[in-house]
């Protein structure tokens, strides 16, 4: 297969144009992209009917600062195997380019931010035209190509078909304030990703103001220290030519030393004002004044705006000169709103051009406001450029491989003795390597430096650690070494640094390989459950972008009694219910964990599939309490109930109350049932494995969803409806909805305060989720 550099060399001259004609054509395409992006936003806000009167929005200025960069990239540099993450507010530019390439029908240009139309920000799953990465949450879209590069390498090395190609991020300079950027930059995996290219739109403005000190030199130093190639495009050819004349060094020094607000203010000046203000004061004022005196007004105004990020020639030279042996960052100086009447204004972030301004812009750019979507004339250099780019960027379809069959049950005898659900995770993964090797071969586990403490040690010893090249295990002959760290291209575990945002960013990209290259993976990420909150936003965004993965939060809850309040998760059970595109499970027993994990794996890597979140525990539980039926048909019925959300664990002949418990609290619920029985109050015990699926079933029963409802009839039959006590190691409202299945009285027990250190007994008592509290709550309902 051709390398990225070979593909780039092959497409040079593909339009049949000389270098001079290509540059001229690129400039014309750039102007049309500027017009189309502005017109797409203008139509959405000023032309399209808007009964509510609410502002539709859009970012004409933020789009304008990116038009040169994106024109040079798409119409000169990109190959079909490259992928690009586009900063959120430049989505109209992406749609304009796709329109010129024939990838977007004209009818969509009038639908920005309309229902079913072009999305506010680029979306892989919702936009009608090609989008490589969903963006919108600042920092997450910028870092996604790092994890996309790793996912591509993993797939190509193990299965083939993912090819080569660069992974570009186009991001705004204000986005560099996000901590996710620097967490990703410092991950040990990143310095080896030579296919990664970031282009920073250095327009020196944020939403509200001109940034007083962007400290570009400091940022460049931080990237260089991380092992990146740093390319700076500060000045374009017009300014470079001025700098070479007498007085030019004084002008360069004046602009270099100028604060961002002063420079932006100069952009708002007329030519006469500029001649007065630009020279400044002191000994360099006269040489600068003499330098700019011969320039006519148009030349002077154009020169001041001729930053590197708007110079097509400088941009194409920079893209052509990238060293693919290490990651690259290009700092491209730009003007926010470049080419628009609002350029450089500190409040132009979401400002919209008036009808008169749009008409003037159309006249200057050679277009027509009344016919805004006109294409280039056939045979023109611009049309040839667009056609050549469309041919070069055409992506042939990938053969789609079906994900391997995942068994529903590994047919092991039900565990006995004492064990916990976290241990079951590692055991199931090892069992799959023996009983379902095809499925196991597609599994890739990811963790942020917590592999051994989350029971992945046996799995890692079996399959090895993924690395682009093989490394010696210097502790292989150490008899005291339990976890063997064998790094090799065939490994199936990826170990990142400790940042959880990196973990879930990689999970999202590993979970999207089925739709990118037709190669499904079954990715599982393991993180301490208290830190699921930290990882939730990027993981949610990965799901939104089409990534299907399993996130395992373990250990969890206040059951981590000695760890204290900082390591005790409270809200995660309800977050699992609330997350779209995800099924949440919290099994109580090892066999339940096996069945839930297998069900979750079977939902990955396919159209219509979904992600899953498993909340596991390290609490030792008597596994015989699961009372798994020995009869095969009865066992299968139990399995189906477990994976549908709940099962009746204890059935009393004459129940007066139902105890619905989840996860680590099952032993307390069973003990409470025994004590209530001794007091003359029969109690059913329901083991909830997925409040998420039960809630969906309840919604479907009410006609608000299309999920199956049979589980409610089997676990909560109407003839056994009794007052209800719910209890879990998490916030009590998670299970409160269960009372509405038959509108029975309910008391919800759970954790509503920050935790304390202590024994499990002490901590459960403190939060009111111990056996005494369950008994007392039940008696209040029935006595």
């Amino acid at each position: 297969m051709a390398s990225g550099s070979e593909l780039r060399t092959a497409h040079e001259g593909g339009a049949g144009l000389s270098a001079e004609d290509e540059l001229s054509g690129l400039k014309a395409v750039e102007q049309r992209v500027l017009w189309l992006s502005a017109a797409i936003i203008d139509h959405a806000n000023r032309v399209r009917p808007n009964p509510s009167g609410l502002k539709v929005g859009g970012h004409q200025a933020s789009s304008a600062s990116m038009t040169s960069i994106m024109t040079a990239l798409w119409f000169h540099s990109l190959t079909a195997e490259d992928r690009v993450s586009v900063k959120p507010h430049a989505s109209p530019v992406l749609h304009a380019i796709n329109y010129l390439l024939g990838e977007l029908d004209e009818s969509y240009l009038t639908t920005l931010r309309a229902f079913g139309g072009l999305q506010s920000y680029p979306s892989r799953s919702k936009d009608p035209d090609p989008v490589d990465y969903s963006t919108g949450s600042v920092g997450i879209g910028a870092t996604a190509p790092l994890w996309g590069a790793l996912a591509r390498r993993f797939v190509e090395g193990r299965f083939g078909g993912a090819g080569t190609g660069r992974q570009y991020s186009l991001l705004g300079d204000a986005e560099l304030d996000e901590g996710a950027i620097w967490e990703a930059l410092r991950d040990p995996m990143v310095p080896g990703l030579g296919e990664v290219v970031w282009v920073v739109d250095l327009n020196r403005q944020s939403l509200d103001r001109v940034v007083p000190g962007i400290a570009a030199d400091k940022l460049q130093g931080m990237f260089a220290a991380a092992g990146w190639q740093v390319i700076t495009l500060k000045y374009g050819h017009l300014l470079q030519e001025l700098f070479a004349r007498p007085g030019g060094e004084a002008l360069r020094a004046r602009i270099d030393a100028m604060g961002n607000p002063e420079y932006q203010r100069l952009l708002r000046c007329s030519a006469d004002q500029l001649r007065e203000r630009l020279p400044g004061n002191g000994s360099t004022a006269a040489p600068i004044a003499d330098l700019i005196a011969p320039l006519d007004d148009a030349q002077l105004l154009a020169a001041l705006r001729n930053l590197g990020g708007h110079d097509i020639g400088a941009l194409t030279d920079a893209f052509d000169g990238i060293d693919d042996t290490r990651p690259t960052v290009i700092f491209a100086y730009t003007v926010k709103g470049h080419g628009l009447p609002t350029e450089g204004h500190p409040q132009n972030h979401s400002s919209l051009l008036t009808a008169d301004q749009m008409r003037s812009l159309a006249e200057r750019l050679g277009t027509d406001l009344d016919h805004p979507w006109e294409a280039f004339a056939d045979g023109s250099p611009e049309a040839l450029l667009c056609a050549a780019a469309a041919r070069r960027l055409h992506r042939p379809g990938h053969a789609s491989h079906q994900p391997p069959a995942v068994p529903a049950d590994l047919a092991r005898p039900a565990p006995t003795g004492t064990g916990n659900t976290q241990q079951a995770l590692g055991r199931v993964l090892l069992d799959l390597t023996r009983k379902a090797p095809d499925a196991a071969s597609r599994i890739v586990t990811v963790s942020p430096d917590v592999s051994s403490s989350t029971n992945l040690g046996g799995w890692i010893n079996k399959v090895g650690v993924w690395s682009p090249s093989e490394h010696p295990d210097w502790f292989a002959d150490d008899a005291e070494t339990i976890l063997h760290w064998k790094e090799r291209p065939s490994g199936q575990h990826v170990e990142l640094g400790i940042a959880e945002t990196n973990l879930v960013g990689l999970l999202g990209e590993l979970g999207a390989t089925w739709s990118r290259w037709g190669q499904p993976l079954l990715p599982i990420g393991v993180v301490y459950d208290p830190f699921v909150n930290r990882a939730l936003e990027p993981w949610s965004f990965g799901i939104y972008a089409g990534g299907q993965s399993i996130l395992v939060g373990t250990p969890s809850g206040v059951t981590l009694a000695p760890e204290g309040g900082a390591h005790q998760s409270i809200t995660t059970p309800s977050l699992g219910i609330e997350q779209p595109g995800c099924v949440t499970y919290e099994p109580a027993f090892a066999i339940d964990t096996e069945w839930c994990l297998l069900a979750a794996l079977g939902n990955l890597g396919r159209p219509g599939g979904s992600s899953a979140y498993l909340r596991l525990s390290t609490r030792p539980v008597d596994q015989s309490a699961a009372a798994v039926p020995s009869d095969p048909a009865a066992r299968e019925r139990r399995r189906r109930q477990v994976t549908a959300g709940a099962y009746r664990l204890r059935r009393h002949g004459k129940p007066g109350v139902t105890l619905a418990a989840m996860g680590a609290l099952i032993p307390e619920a069973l003990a409470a049932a025994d004590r209530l029985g001794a007091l003359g109050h029969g109690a059913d015990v329901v083991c909830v494995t997925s409040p998420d699926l039960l809630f969906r079933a309840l919604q479907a029963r009410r006609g608000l969803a299309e999920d199956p409802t049979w589980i409610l009839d089997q676990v909560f039959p109407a003839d056994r409806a009794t007052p209800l006590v719910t209890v879990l190691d998490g916030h009590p409202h998670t299970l409160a909805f269960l009372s509405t299945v038959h509108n029975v009285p309910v008391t919800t027990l759970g954790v509503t305060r920050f935790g304390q250190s202590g024994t499990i007994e002490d901590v459960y008592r403190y939060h009111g989720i111990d056996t005494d509290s369950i008994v007392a709550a039940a008696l209040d309902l029935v006595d």
Side-chain angles (χ1 to χ4, degrees):
M1 180 172 291
S3 68
S5 59
E6 290 169 338
L7 289 169
R8 276 168 240 288
T9 301
H11 87 248
E12 290 174 3
L17 301 173
S18 67
E20 183 178 348
D21 285 343
E22 183 195 20
L23 182 60
S24 175
L26 285 171
K27 290 179 178 179
V29 171
E30 172 197 20
Q31 289 191 326
R32 185 59 58 90
V33 171
L34 173 64
W35 165 254
L36 287 170
S37 61
I40 287 169
I41 299 169
D42 176 66
H43 190 282
N45 287 272
R46 190 181 59 80
V47 181
R48 192 171 69 217
N50 183 5
S52 71
L54 295 174
K55 178 182 176 181
V56 175
H59 300 85
Q60 289 173 323
S62 292
S63 293
S65 70
M66 289 295 298
T67 53
S68 308
I69 293 169
M70 294 177 67
T71 298
L73 189 57
W74 260 265
F75 293 92
H76 174 81
S77 299
L78 283 185
T79 73
E81 292 197 322
D82 296 338
R83 298 290 185 272
V84 188
S85 173
V86 177
K87 78 172 191 176
H89 292 164
S91 66
V93 182
L94 178 60
H95 297 311
I97 288 173
N98 281 334
Y99 171 62
L100 292 177
L101 294 175
E103 296 282 2
L104 182 67
D105 189 79
E106 179 181 320
S107 62
Y108 280 104
L109 300 180
T110 61
T111 67
L112 179 69
R113 302 191 175 202
F115 186 80
L118 300 177
Q119 298 300 296
S120 308
Y121 309 127
S123 172
R124 284 193 74 224
S125 57
K126 296 182 182 297
D127 272 316
D129 53 333
V131 174
D132 292 332
Y133 289 98
S134 296
T135 58
S137 187
V138 176
I140 296 173
T143 58
L146 297 175
W147 318 126
L150 281 176
R152 186 203 62 76
R153 288 190 179 200
F154 186 91
V155 168
E156 179 64 20
R158 286 189 60 80
F159 307 107
T164 59
R166 288 176 182 162
Q167 300 278 338
Y168 289 87
S169 285
L170 309 181
L171 61 155
D173 50 3
E175 208 162 354
L176 295 177
D177 290 344
E178 284 289 336
I181 297 286
W182 304 105
E183 288 184 349
L185 207 67
R186 291 192 67 253
D187 193 274
M189 284 282 188
V190 170
L193 300 177
E195 64 267 48
V196 168
V197 180
W198 284 12
V199 184
V200 180
D201 172 16
L202 201 66
N203 61 42
R204 295 167 287 183
Q205 281 187 240
S206 61
L207 191 150
D208 294 323
R209 60 175 181 163
V210 177
V211 178
I214 194 64
D217 291 344
K218 181 179 180 180
L219 292 172
Q220 292 161 7
M222 293 167 73
F223 276 92
W228 289 49
Q229 175 187 206
V230 178
I231 298 173
T232 301
L233 298 179
K234 189 169 186 180
Y235 300 118
H237 287 87
L238 294 179
L239 277 173
Q240 297 281 10
E241 290 171 5
L242 280 180
F243 294 155
R245 300 179 187 179
E249 286 303 317
L251 178 61
R252 180 194 288 270
R254 163 83 170 117
I255 297 177
D256 281 344
M258 190 180 295
N260 293 337
E262 183 183 4
Y263 176 80
Q264 298 286 101
R265 181 63 186 88
L266 291 179
L267 294 172
R268 309 291 299 169
C269 290
S270 66
D272 289 341
Q273 293 171 326
L274 193 56
R275 294 181 193 281
E276 178 183 344
R277 292 190 179 198
L278 181 57
N281 302 311
S283 59
T284 60
I288 295 174
D290 292 342
L291 172 65
I292 64 177
L295 303 178
D296 62 32
D297 289 354
Q299 289 174 324
L300 178 59
L301 293 172
L304 183 70
R305 289 156 173 77
N306 183 227
L307 298 180
H310 296 302
D311 191 299
I312 294 290
L315 286 162
T316 55
D317 287 347
F319 291 138
D320 291 345
I322 289 172
D323 172 11
D324 285 319
T325 64
R326 55 180 173 150
T328 298
V329 60
I330 299 174
F331 286 94
Y333 281 73
T334 62
V335 175
K336 196 164 185 173
H338 184 261
L340 302 181
T342 58
E343 68 178 356
H345 194 280
Q347 279 86 53
N348 68 4
H349 180 79
S350 56
S351 63
L352 298 170
L353 301 188
T354 65
D356 289 342
Q357 289 174 323
M358 285 295 297
R359 196 166 295 280
S360 296
L361 180 67
E363 292 173 0
R364 180 166 65 81
L365 297 179
T367 58
D368 185 348
L369 181 62
D370 298 322
H371 302 91
W373 322 123
E374 257 187 271
F376 289 118
D378 290 342
S380 66
E382 299 86 0
L384 292 173
L385 266 178
C386 292
R391 290 192 299 270
R392 168 169 37 89
L393 298 177
H394 175 71
R395 293 174 182 167
H398 290 279
S400 292
H401 297 265
Q402 291 298 313
V406 177
D409 189 342
L410 297 178
R412 285 176 57 118
T416 58
T418 300
N420 62 59
T421 55
Q422 181 177 289
Q423 291 170 340
L425 168 68
R427 192 205 73 205
V428 172
L429 292 178
L430 281 175
D431 283 350
L432 280 169
T433 63
R434 294 185 291 268
K435 299 193 175 186
D438 288 344
S441 71
R442 295 275 173 171
I443 292 174
V444 53
T445 55
V446 187
S447 71
D449 199 32
V450 293
S451 302
S452 55
S453 56
T454 53
N455 283 85
L456 289 184
W459 162 259
I460 292 173
N461 287 342
K462 176 75 174 178
V463 303
V465 178
W466 179 81
S467 173
S469 57
E470 190 155 352
H471 298 280
D473 179 7
W474 296 109
F475 288 85
D477 59 349
D478 186 336
E480 295 182 6
T481 298
I482 299 174
L483 181 62
H484 298 288
W485 209 254
K486 294 173 285 190
E487 297 179 80
R488 56 198 181 197
S490 61
Q492 291 179 244
H493 176 76
V494 182
E495 186 91 355
L496 299 179
I498 204 165
E500 287 81 9
T501 55
N502 293 345
L503 165 93
V504 295
L506 179 55
L507 267 187
E509 292 307 316
L510 291 169
T513 60
W514 66 274
S515 59
R516 288 196 192 282
W517 302 293
Q519 290 285 2
L521 296 176
L522 309 178
I524 303 172
V526 180
V527 65
Y528 289 166
D529 196 66
F531 308 133
V532 166
N533 283 308
R534 186 184 301 174
L536 184 63
E537 185 201 3
W539 190 53
S540 174
F541 209 79
I543 294 174
Y544 169 78
Q548 298 171 10
S549 62
I550 298 173
L551 182 62
V552 179
T554 184
S556 63
V558 301
T559 301
L560 280 169
E563 297 284 346
H567 276 65
Q568 296 174 359
S569 51
I570 296 171
T571 61
T572 49
S574 59
L575 290 176
I577 297 177
E578 296 155 15
Q579 174 60 49
C582 167
V583 178
T584 182
Y585 297 102
E586 185 166 346
F589 299 101
I591 190 67
D592 297 353
T593 305
E594 173 188 312
W595 289 335
C596 292
L597 181 60
L598 294 175
L601 287 168
N603 263 332
L604 299 179
R606 65 185 70 242
S610 73
S611 294
Y613 162 50
L614 272 70
R615 191 174 188 253
L616 305 183
S617 174
T618 51
R619 184 185 184 185
V621 172
D622 177 9
Q623 297 300 304
S624 65
V628 180
S630 58
D631 179 83
R635 176 185 170 111
E636 172 59 14
R637 182 174 185 269
R638 167 68 70 83
R639 186 202 64 79
R640 291 182 67 245
Q641 290 177 339
V642 166
T643 58
Y647 59 95
R648 194 169 291 271
L649 182 58
R650 181 78 61 84
R651 180 184 177 92
H652 195 275
K654 190 177 180 181
V657 65
T658 299
L659 310 179
M662 193 162 75
L665 270 295
I666 279 293
E668 278 63 36
L670 291 172
D674 289 339
R675 286 173 53 182
L676 287 167
L679 294 171
H681 300 286
D684 282 352
V685 178
V686 171
C687 180
V688 176
T689 54
S690 176
D692 184 7
L693 293 177
L694 294 182
F695 182 76
R696 297 186 197 188
L698 190 58
Q699 291 289 87
R701 176 180 282 183
R702 294 166 177 160
L704 301 175
E706 297 181 355
D707 297 86
T709 63
W710 61 266
I711 188 65
L712 298 177
D713 298 324
Q714 289 192 5
V715 180
F716 298 100
D719 61 352
R720 299 184 71 83
T722 63
L724 180 67
V725 177
T726 66
V727 59
L728 75 155
D729 187 355
H731 199 282
H733 78 75
T734 305
L735 298 179
F737 70 91
L738 290 177
S739 67
T740 65
V741 174
H742 294 298
N743 295 317
V744 297
V746 65
T747 297
T748 57
L749 304 179
V751 181
T752 58
R753 294 178 286 176
F754 287 116
Q756 296 285 337
S757 295
T759 66
I760 285 180
E761 293 77 13
D762 290 337
V763 171
Y764 282 4
R765 189 179 306 112
Y766 172 75
H767 289 289
I769 54 176
D770 60 326
T771 301
D772 285 350
S773 298
I774 299 172
V775 171
L779 291 175
D780 285 342
L781 289 173
V782 301
D783 201 7

